[in-house]
Amino acid sequence: MRAVIFDLDGTLVDTVYGHVLAWHKVLEEGGFEVEGWKVHRLIGMSGGLLTKAAAHEIGRELSEGEAERLQKRHGEVYKELMPRRRALPGAIELLRHLHDTRVKFGIATSGRRQDAKPSLDVLQLPAGAVIVDRNDVERAKPEPDLFLAVQEQLKVRPEECYVVGDAVWDLLAARRAAMLGIGLLSGGYGHEELDRAGAYRVYSNPAELLSSIYQLGLRSA
Amino acid sequence: MRAVIFDLDGTLVDTVYGHVLAWHKVLEEGGFEVEGWKVHRLIGMSGGLLTKAAAHEIGRELSEGEAERLQKRHGEVYKELMPRRRALPGAIELLRHLHDTRVKFGIATSGRRQDAKPSLDVLQLPAGAVIVDRNDVERAKPEPDLFLAVQEQLKVRPEECYVVGDAVWDLLAARRAAMLGIGLLSGGYGHEELDRAGAYRVYSNPAELLSSIYQLGLRSA
């Protein structure tokens, strides 16, 4: 295996619960009363799909304009709720380890550039790190486009890539990209939920992944 | 089976994600940087145990005074984050159905009275409903005291009681009380996590429990 592609929110940065509550509140404002645990299971999809899924959940139609407004509002409410972002334990060290041992890696997020930037800022990424966000592709997760875009930039084959993510959407997109998924519990899904979505391995957080890195058979570039 | 004892937050009222974020922020303020998903798995314990667990998580000691201050602060932050509480789908209807069919029920919450009241207020409870909170017992969940206090007031035997809860702490306390646990996914745990903690049945939310109520073999008083 020659490369590791990371999801961002919930995988490297501890932001999932802020996103859940922000969406919960924004959907409620918009008249979409979706239960918290169902909102949680939608996090990690593109914002457009998430709003459609929420509307479907309560049996309502959603216009493109309404979906766009909800996404914008989510960005604002998230910032109010969680002004500070924290890297997950081991995240900075894991990326540094891959960099130092010359294992290729990149980051692929369903978030838009302006929303992803504050999360990327806490990771102390090396110059030139490969990052692909919502603005770079036509369709976000669970479509495989984000992961395939990173893989192309890393100049490796899909089957040489691991995808590390906290949501079933990462694992679904990984399978569609012919990559091997690794689940992290740090997004709040249960172990079994990630197993069933096809995770090859499940670790608690980036720190546990780093301490188990030799289980992954990674090769330097 | 002659009685149903309900947990409150996450089981009848959609408050878990607000509690997670409130604790996340309050613990961070206090210098306890605990990951969101780990905070989530502590919800439903008494506030005292939760603060101790959080301190243990990052290898720190916690004084009684500090624990008390964190709990008070949590109540304040929660109210700021989620000023409005929502009953979970089917919660009001389920309690009404039990009342109308004369099946005994009660509510047992690890929350303190002043924190539980706004959640109870949205449930449209019949007059005289049995409610036991943190202030009524010496030790909250995962100790069985709360459930045993409800059972005594309902004048049934423990083995005639179901406990309905969303957290593994409810299921652990139920087993210790010799009652049968029923898990709800509405607190955000995975199905398997509730199964493994000993749930006899798992439903999505109160609405699904109500639509499946004849699976439970309940008897009128």
Side-chain angles (χ1 to χ4, degrees):
Chain A
M1 299 297 283
R2 298 185 58 208
V4 189
I5 303 174
F6 293 93
D7 167 57
L8 181 59
D9 285 294
T11 296
L12 295 170
V13 189
D14 196 2
T15 49
V16 165
Y17 290 86
H19 283 303
V20 175
L21 203 65
W23 273 117
H24 201 214
K25 289 166 82 86
V26 166
L27 290 168
E28 181 172 336
E29 279 176 17
F32 298 90
E33 297 216 344
V34 181
E35 295 156 76
W37 70 285
K38 290 189 176 177
V39 175
H40 187 182
R41 266 65 189 174
L42 296 177
I43 301 292
M45 284 180 143
S46 75
L49 269 184
L50 188 150
T51 50
K52 269 182 212 141
H56 177 82
E57 183 64 44
I58 61 160
R60 257 189 57 186
E61 288 289 319
L62 187 77
S63 71
E64 287 297 321
E66 211 175 354
E68 186 56 40
R69 273 192 301 280
L70 290 172
Q71 287 179 75
K72 191 158 167 291
R73 184 80 186 114
H74 170 261
E76 294 162 5
V77 171
Y78 181 87
K79 260 179 235 156
E80 288 164 26
L81 291 176
M82 289 198 99
R84 206 191 130 208
R85 308 212 181 184
R86 290 190 332 218
L88 278 157
I92 293 168
E93 297 78 2
L94 173 59
L95 299 180
R96 191 180 302 146
H97 174 85
L98 294 174
H99 180 69
D100 292 349
T101 55
R102 292 182 302 117
V103 174
K104 293 181 175 189
F105 72 92
I107 294 174
T109 173
S110 287
R112 295 168 177 207
R113 196 152 307 157
Q114 68 272 28
D115 298 326
K117 190 173 177 308
S119 289
L120 292 165
D121 285 347
V122 301
L123 291 176
Q124 306 173 22
L125 292 166
V130 172
I131 297 157
V132 175
D133 64 41
R134 182 71 190 88
N135 299 55
D136 297 316
V137 294
E138 202 186 321
R139 298 165 306 176
K141 300 169 207 169
E143 299 289 336
D145 305 26
L146 284 159
F147 297 147
L148 293 171
V150 173
Q151 164 252 320
E152 274 172 36
Q153 288 192 47
L154 294 177
K155 299 187 173 47
V156 290
R157 286 177 292 130
E159 59 273 27
E160 296 173 320
C161 296
Y162 286 113
V163 163
V164 181
D166 65 293
V168 296
W169 311 114
D170 298 308
L171 299 168
L172 175 55
R175 291 173 86 159
R176 295 175 67 187
M179 299 174 183
L180 233 54
I182 294 174
L184 298 189
L185 299 178
S186 44
Y189 276 87
H191 197 297
E192 181 87 1
E193 291 178 273
L194 299 176
D195 274 347
R196 293 221 177 142
Y200 165 69
R201 296 265 187 189
V202 175
Y203 301 106
S204 294
N205 52 23
E208 203 204 342
L209 195 164
L210 176 56
S211 73
S212 314
I213 194 123
Y214 294 104
Q215 293 180 348
L216 301 182
L218 288 162
R219 187 173 106 187
S220 299
Chain B
M1 299 297 284
R2 296 184 58 208
V4 189
I5 303 175
F6 293 93
D7 167 57
L8 181 57
D9 284 295
T11 297
L12 295 170
V13 189
D14 195 1
T15 50
V16 164
Y17 289 85
H19 283 303
V20 175
L21 202 66
W23 273 118
H24 201 216
K25 288 168 81 86
V26 166
L27 290 168
E28 180 172 337
E29 278 176 17
F32 299 90
E33 297 216 343
V34 180
E35 295 157 75
W37 69 287
K38 291 190 175 175
V39 175
H40 187 182
R41 265 66 189 174
L42 296 176
I43 301 292
M45 284 180 143
S46 76
L49 269 183
L50 186 150
T51 51
K52 270 182 211 139
H56 177 82
E57 182 64 43
I58 62 159
R60 257 189 57 186
E61 288 289 319
L62 187 77
S63 71
E64 287 298 321
E66 213 174 353
E68 185 56 40
R69 273 191 301 280
L70 290 173
Q71 286 179 74
K72 190 159 167 289
R73 185 78 186 114
H74 170 262
E76 294 162 5
V77 172
Y78 181 86
K79 260 178 236 157
E80 286 163 28
L81 290 176
M82 287 196 99
R84 206 192 129 206
R85 307 212 181 184
R86 288 188 337 214
L88 279 158
I92 293 168
E93 296 78 4
L94 173 59
L95 299 179
R96 190 180 301 146
H97 174 84
L98 294 175
H99 179 70
D100 292 348
T101 54
R102 292 181 304 114
V103 174
K104 292 181 176 191
F105 72 92
I107 295 174
T109 172
S110 286
R112 297 166 178 209
R113 196 151 309 156
Q114 69 272 28
D115 297 327
K117 189 173 178 307
S119 288
L120 292 166
D121 285 348
V122 301
L123 291 175
Q124 307 174 22
L125 292 166
V130 172
I131 298 157
V132 174
D133 64 41
R134 182 71 190 88
N135 299 56
D136 297 315
V137 294
E138 202 187 321
R139 299 165 305 176
K141 301 169 206 169
E143 299 288 337
D145 305 26
L146 283 159
F147 296 147
L148 293 171
V150 173
Q151 164 252 318
E152 275 171 35
Q153 288 192 46
L154 293 177
K155 299 188 172 51
V156 290
R157 287 178 291 131
E159 60 271 28
E160 296 173 321
C161 296
Y162 285 113
V163 163
V164 181
D166 65 294
V168 296
W169 311 114
D170 298 307
L171 298 168
L172 175 55
R175 290 173 87 158
R176 296 175 66 187
M179 299 173 183
L180 232 55
I182 294 173
L184 297 189
L185 298 178
S186 43
Y189 276 86
H191 196 297
E192 180 87 358
E193 291 178 273
L194 300 175
D195 274 347
R196 293 220 177 143
Y200 165 70
R201 296 264 187 189
V202 175
Y203 301 106
S204 294
N205 54 22
E208 203 203 343
L209 195 165
L210 176 56
S211 73
S212 314
I213 194 118
Y214 294 103
Q215 293 180 347
L216 300 182
L218 288 162
R219 187 173 106 187
S220 300

